[in-house]
Amino acid sequence: MLKNKRILIGVGGGIAAYKVCEVVSTLAKAGAEVRVMLTEGAQRFITPLTLATLARHPAYTDADFWQPNHHRPLHIDLGEWAEVMAIAPLTANTLGKLAHGLADNLLTNTVLASTCPILLAPAMNTDMWLQQSVQRNWAQVLQDRRYHSLAPGEGVLACDRVGAGRMAEPPELLAALESLLHTGGDRDLQGKHLLINTGGTREFLDPVRFIGNPSTGKMGIALAQAALHRGATVTLVHGVMEPALLAQAKGARQIQAGTAATMHRAMLEHQPDADWVVFAAAVADVKPTHYTAHKLPKADIPDALPLSPVPDIAADLSTHRLPHQKLIGFAAQTGDIVPPARDKLQRKKLDVIVANPIDQPESGFGGDRNQAILLNAAGEQQPVPLASKLHLAHRLYDFVLTNSTLN
């Protein structure tokens, strides 16, 4: 999705500017065309040479803006060139200028000379961020549908304050940019509530042993990100997952459910509020029949472990579906993946299913990429070649939107 895409990065004057280096480097390595602008304040934290080296292209400053050595005004060229723009870190000063349409440097003039979607990633001290004037400017800017936000998170700030104001991390920025390049900034899921489950479940024999699987939940995080970026409200029911991975779905309501039974209860509880339900979790099929509250001595573990079935979450929610709801499943398969996926689609009365081949390179559990064949109840199918899991999530949502009526 990033190869040959034209991405313009505006860097503001804040210590979080160092995070932009990873963003620019990753984009360039992925084949994107990257251009970087630095405000005067940004140059006090990071040099144009650093960003130029990472972008494989000269970085621009206000000195370039005021030089008459361009065949056209630089801000016009950059504004018309960009497919998407990001401003990170967005300072209180630049935010105020955006809110009131002011333009007194290269960055703000380029914003006004462009029409592409713009991603905003604020960063500042907690007290600065919470000032009424700053919050008023933030709310005003977001009324313009060109602007897409990555609101600051909470944590230890450079001033040693603990609170809101920490700029979004590079993976969040990269995912949001990838989404904007796919959608063009269209929020076509706005007003929709998506209920998504993800991650593997663990069915315990005793406090330290369980039946599980190698699912990391990355596909579900990508599904949540794509939905959030397209304007949806998201509830994410997840198994045991890495906190850093869950942080990438900031903005989703997150509910931990580590076993099939707890996940089943959580999904049933939240189903009535959902427009779409996406079953992306790798839920165990069976559990040990007997659970022991203390750790079993090795000698006491039975040679033949009695097993019992666990709730079939997708099938059960299908029987409780409301008329307007869309149910979307996943089928991780080996060999010929379409027949078993289509059988699952029909048997569980789903609207769409994603068949992905876990026996193909880079397509199994735990990776950052995936490939699939999308199938719907009408018999249509669409292949998605190997790509990022975020790209697959967007292709899935495109498929559902194109092949169903959403009222």
Side-chain angles (χ1 to χ4, degrees):
M1 287 180 67
L2 295 173
K3 189 172 180 60
N4 299 322
K5 298 297 185 180
R6 303 186 304 275
I7 303 171
L8 182 59
I9 308 290
V11 186
I15 186 62
Y18 78 91
K19 296 183 181 180
V20 179
C21 294
E22 182 179 341
V23 174
V24 171
S25 177
T26 302
L27 291 172
K29 288 176 181 177
E33 296 182 43
V34 188
R35 305 290 183 266
V36 184
M37 306 176 288
L38 296 89
T39 65
E40 183 178 350
Q43 295 173 69
R44 298 179 181 272
F45 294 93
I46 192 168
T47 68
L49 178 59
T50 297
L51 290 169
T53 303
L54 295 174
R56 283 72 163 172
H57 190 278
Y60 300 107
T61 68
D62 286 347
D64 301 298
F65 180 45
W66 300 113
Q67 292 298 318
N69 57 353
H70 296 277
H71 65 285
R72 297 178 72 211
L74 179 58
H75 64 294
I76 304 296
D77 268 351
L78 290 173
E80 293 180 352
W81 173 86
E83 292 181 74
V84 67
M85 186 187 309
I87 303 178
L90 174 68
T91 63
N93 185 45
T94 299
L95 172 60
K97 293 175 184 179
L98 297 181
H100 298 284
L102 303 179
D104 63 351
N105 59 12
L106 175 60
L107 173 57
T108 50
N109 273 275
T110 303
V111 167
L112 295 187
S114 65
T115 59
C116 65
I118 301 177
L119 179 66
L120 302 177
M124 61 194 78
N125 165 270
T126 302
D127 290 331
M128 295 174 66
W129 172 246
L130 295 178
Q131 289 290 332
Q132 289 187 13
S133 56
V134 172
Q135 289 300 304
R136 183 169 57 247
N137 287 340
W138 181 240
Q140 182 171 326
V141 161
L142 295 183
Q143 290 178 11
D144 185 335
R145 293 183 65 83
R146 281 190 68 199
Y147 293 111
H148 299 258
S149 68
L150 278 178
E154 295 190 358
V156 179
L157 308 181
C159 59
D160 292 327
R161 177 73 181 271
V162 178
R166 185 179 179 87
M167 192 178 88
E169 299 302 319
E172 295 175 75
L173 287 161
L174 290 163
L177 287 170
E178 187 174 344
S179 288
L180 287 175
L181 286 165
H182 183 89
T183 65
D186 187 12
R187 297 177 176 90
D188 53 5
L189 291 182
Q190 193 159 35
K192 299 296 178 186
H193 185 171
L194 271 67
L195 174 62
I196 302 169
N197 68 4
T198 192
T201 60
R202 298 177 176 184
E203 308 303 328
F204 284 84
L205 171 66
D206 63 21
V208 298
R209 301 182 180 94
F210 60 85
I211 297 174
N213 57 66
S215 172
T216 59
K218 287 184 178 181
M219 189 66 238
I221 294 297
L223 289 161
Q225 287 178 320
L228 290 166
H229 295 160
R230 295 171 84 139
T233 299
V234 175
T235 298
L236 184 68
V237 179
H238 62 86
V240 179
M241 290 172 56
E242 292 292 333
L245 187 58
L246 287 168
Q248 294 180 32
K250 184 173 62 181
R253 180 183 182 186
Q254 299 183 8
I255 301 166
Q256 181 166 323
T259 67
T262 56
M263 186 170 284
H264 178 242
R265 287 195 297 270
M267 293 293 285
L268 274 176
E269 178 183 351
H270 295 282
Q271 181 184 11
D273 298 325
D275 298 294
W276 295 5
V277 183
V278 186
F279 304 102
V283 183
D285 296 302
V286 294
K287 67 177 182 178
T289 300
H290 305 293
Y291 173 76
T292 304
H294 61 273
K295 181 182 176 181
L296 286 169
K298 186 174 181 180
D300 291 348
I301 299 175
D303 293 333
L305 185 64
L307 300 174
S308 301
V310 301
D312 188 326
I313 297 175
D316 197 15
L317 266 67
S318 179
T319 65
H320 292 85
R321 71 187 299 166
L322 299 174
H324 72 284
Q325 290 181 329
K326 303 296 176 186
L327 304 187
I328 302 162
F330 273 71
Q333 300 289 345
T334 59
D336 187 356
I337 63 176
V338 171
R342 188 168 295 285
D343 174 69
K344 183 176 180 179
L345 171 76
Q346 296 168 348
R347 182 166 33 87
K348 300 193 178 184
K349 297 181 174 59
L350 305 176
D351 296 286
V352 171
I353 198 163
V354 181
N356 73 283
I358 59 173
D359 56 351
Q360 296 300 311
E362 297 188 78
S363 300
F365 292 113
D368 295 321
R369 302 208 290 171
N370 209 343
Q371 59 183 303
I373 298 175
L374 311 179
L375 304 97
N376 67 13
E380 299 167 306
Q381 64 183 60
Q382 183 182 110
V384 181
L386 188 64
S388 72
K389 289 185 173 178
L390 183 62
H391 178 73
L392 173 57
H394 280 297
R395 289 286 298 273
L396 170 60
Y397 293 151
D398 292 343
F399 186 72
V400 177
L401 289 167
T402 301
N403 292 282
S404 64
T405 302
L406 302 178
N407 296 317

